[in-house]
mmCIF file of all heavy atoms in Angstrom:
data_model
loop_
_atom_site.group_PDB
_atom_site.id
_atom_site.type_symbol
_atom_site.label_atom_id
_atom_site.label_comp_id
_atom_site.label_asym_id
_atom_site.label_seq_id
_atom_site.Cartn_x
_atom_site.Cartn_y
_atom_site.Cartn_z
ATOM 1 N N VAL A 899 -3.207 -65.120 16.816
ATOM 2 C CA VAL A 899 -2.999 -64.957 15.376
ATOM 3 C C VAL A 899 -3.943 -65.940 14.692
ATOM 4 O O VAL A 899 -3.901 -67.145 14.960
ATOM 5 C CB VAL A 899 -1.538 -65.263 14.966
ATOM 6 C CG1 VAL A 899 -1.394 -65.247 13.454
ATOM 7 C CG2 VAL A 899 -0.574 -64.281 15.617
ATOM 8 N N ILE A 900 -4.790 -65.414 13.833
ATOM 9 C CA ILE A 900 -5.703 -66.262 13.064
ATOM 10 C C ILE A 900 -5.312 -66.138 11.598
ATOM 11 O O ILE A 900 -5.261 -65.038 11.044
ATOM 12 C CB ILE A 900 -7.175 -65.843 13.269
ATOM 13 C CG1 ILE A 900 -7.536 -65.939 14.758
ATOM 14 C CG2 ILE A 900 -8.099 -66.714 12.416
ATOM 15 C CD1 ILE A 900 -8.916 -65.423 15.097
ATOM 16 N N LEU A 901 -5.017 -67.279 10.993
ATOM 17 C CA LEU A 901 -4.637 -67.315 9.579
ATOM 18 C C LEU A 901 -5.761 -67.958 8.774
ATOM 19 O O LEU A 901 -6.225 -69.050 9.111
ATOM 20 C CB LEU A 901 -3.362 -68.137 9.379
ATOM 21 C CG LEU A 901 -2.133 -67.696 10.158
ATOM 22 C CD1 LEU A 901 -0.967 -68.631 9.865
ATOM 23 C CD2 LEU A 901 -1.776 -66.260 9.821
ATOM 24 N N GLN A 902 -6.174 -67.275 7.734
ATOM 25 C CA GLN A 902 -7.121 -67.828 6.780
ATOM 26 C C GLN A 902 -6.364 -67.952 5.459
ATOM 27 O O GLN A 902 -5.970 -66.941 4.879
ATOM 28 C CB GLN A 902 -8.325 -66.917 6.622
ATOM 29 C CG GLN A 902 -9.118 -66.750 7.906
ATOM 30 C CD GLN A 902 -10.233 -65.740 7.731
ATOM 31 O OE1 GLN A 902 -11.030 -65.828 6.808
ATOM 32 N NE2 GLN A 902 -10.267 -64.756 8.619
ATOM 33 N N ILE A 903 -6.156 -69.179 5.027
ATOM 34 C CA ILE A 903 -5.344 -69.431 3.843
ATOM 35 C C ILE A 903 -6.231 -70.015 2.750
ATOM 36 O O ILE A 903 -6.815 -71.082 2.918
ATOM 37 C CB ILE A 903 -4.190 -70.404 4.162
ATOM 38 C CG1 ILE A 903 -3.334 -69.840 5.303
ATOM 39 C CG2 ILE A 903 -3.351 -70.679 2.913
ATOM 40 C CD1 ILE A 903 -2.328 -70.822 5.873
ATOM 41 N N THR A 904 -6.329 -69.306 1.649
ATOM 42 C CA THR A 904 -7.064 -69.791 0.488
ATOM 43 C C THR A 904 -6.024 -70.287 -0.506
ATOM 44 O O THR A 904 -5.085 -69.563 -0.846
ATOM 45 C CB THR A 904 -7.915 -68.671 -0.140
ATOM 46 O OG1 THR A 904 -8.772 -68.132 0.875
ATOM 47 C CG2 THR A 904 -8.754 -69.194 -1.286
ATOM 48 N N GLN A 905 -6.182 -71.524 -0.955
ATOM 49 C CA GLN A 905 -5.148 -72.142 -1.783
ATOM 50 C C GLN A 905 -5.780 -73.140 -2.746
ATOM 51 O O GLN A 905 -6.977 -73.402 -2.689
ATOM 52 C CB GLN A 905 -4.111 -72.817 -0.890
ATOM 53 C CG GLN A 905 -4.670 -73.794 0.127
ATOM 54 C CD GLN A 905 -5.034 -75.148 -0.456
ATOM 55 O OE1 GLN A 905 -4.267 -75.735 -1.204
ATOM 56 N NE2 GLN A 905 -6.211 -75.646 -0.104
ATOM 57 N N GLN A 906 -4.942 -73.693 -3.598
ATOM 58 C CA GLN A 906 -5.394 -74.662 -4.593
ATOM 59 C C GLN A 906 -4.523 -75.907 -4.570
ATOM 60 O O GLN A 906 -3.306 -75.812 -4.650
ATOM 61 C CB GLN A 906 -5.324 -74.066 -6.002
ATOM 62 C CG GLN A 906 -6.172 -72.854 -6.199
ATOM 63 C CD GLN A 906 -5.847 -72.140 -7.496
ATOM 64 O OE1 GLN A 906 -5.064 -72.607 -8.308
ATOM 65 N NE2 GLN A 906 -6.461 -70.990 -7.695
ATOM 66 N N GLY A 907 -5.146 -77.052 -4.419
ATOM 67 C CA GLY A 907 -4.508 -78.321 -4.684
ATOM 68 C C GLY A 907 -3.506 -78.875 -3.696
ATOM 69 O O GLY A 907 -2.775 -79.791 -4.037
ATOM 70 N N ARG A 908 -3.444 -78.372 -2.490
ATOM 71 C CA ARG A 908 -2.514 -78.965 -1.534
ATOM 72 C C ARG A 908 -3.127 -80.227 -0.945
ATOM 73 O O ARG A 908 -4.328 -80.316 -0.720
ATOM 74 C CB ARG A 908 -2.189 -77.982 -0.401
ATOM 75 C CG ARG A 908 -1.064 -77.000 -0.651
ATOM 76 C CD ARG A 908 -1.011 -76.453 -2.033
ATOM 77 N NE ARG A 908 0.021 -75.467 -2.283
ATOM 78 C CZ ARG A 908 -0.239 -74.279 -2.793
ATOM 79 N NH1 ARG A 908 -1.465 -73.888 -3.045
ATOM 80 N NH2 ARG A 908 0.763 -73.477 -3.080
ATOM 81 N N THR A 909 -2.270 -81.192 -0.690
ATOM 82 C CA THR A 909 -2.723 -82.470 -0.147
ATOM 83 C C THR A 909 -2.902 -82.372 1.363
ATOM 84 O O THR A 909 -2.415 -81.433 2.002
ATOM 85 C CB THR A 909 -1.699 -83.580 -0.436
ATOM 86 O OG1 THR A 909 -0.489 -83.269 0.292
ATOM 87 C CG2 THR A 909 -1.406 -83.705 -1.927
ATOM 88 N N ARG A 910 -3.542 -83.379 1.918
ATOM 89 C CA ARG A 910 -3.699 -83.448 3.372
ATOM 90 C C ARG A 910 -2.328 -83.471 4.052
ATOM 91 O O ARG A 910 -2.108 -82.814 5.067
ATOM 92 C CB ARG A 910 -4.508 -84.695 3.729
ATOM 93 C CG ARG A 910 -4.718 -84.850 5.205
ATOM 94 C CD ARG A 910 -5.522 -86.082 5.509
ATOM 95 N NE ARG A 910 -5.737 -86.152 6.948
ATOM 96 C CZ ARG A 910 -6.628 -86.895 7.517
ATOM 97 N NH1 ARG A 910 -7.431 -87.643 6.798
ATOM 98 N NH2 ARG A 910 -6.754 -86.908 8.820
ATOM 99 N N THR A 911 -1.397 -84.211 3.473
ATOM 100 C CA THR A 911 -0.039 -84.301 4.021
ATOM 101 C C THR A 911 0.633 -82.930 4.017
ATOM 102 O O THR A 911 1.291 -82.552 4.997
ATOM 103 C CB THR A 911 0.791 -85.316 3.214
ATOM 104 O OG1 THR A 911 0.127 -86.584 3.271
ATOM 105 C CG2 THR A 911 2.198 -85.445 3.748
#
Side-chain angles (χ1 to χ4, degrees):
V899 173
I900 301 174
L901 303 179
Q902 297 175 52
I903 303 169
T904 305
Q905 53 78 47
Q906 299 168 6
R908 274 39 177 234
T909 65
R910 180 180 182 163
T911 302

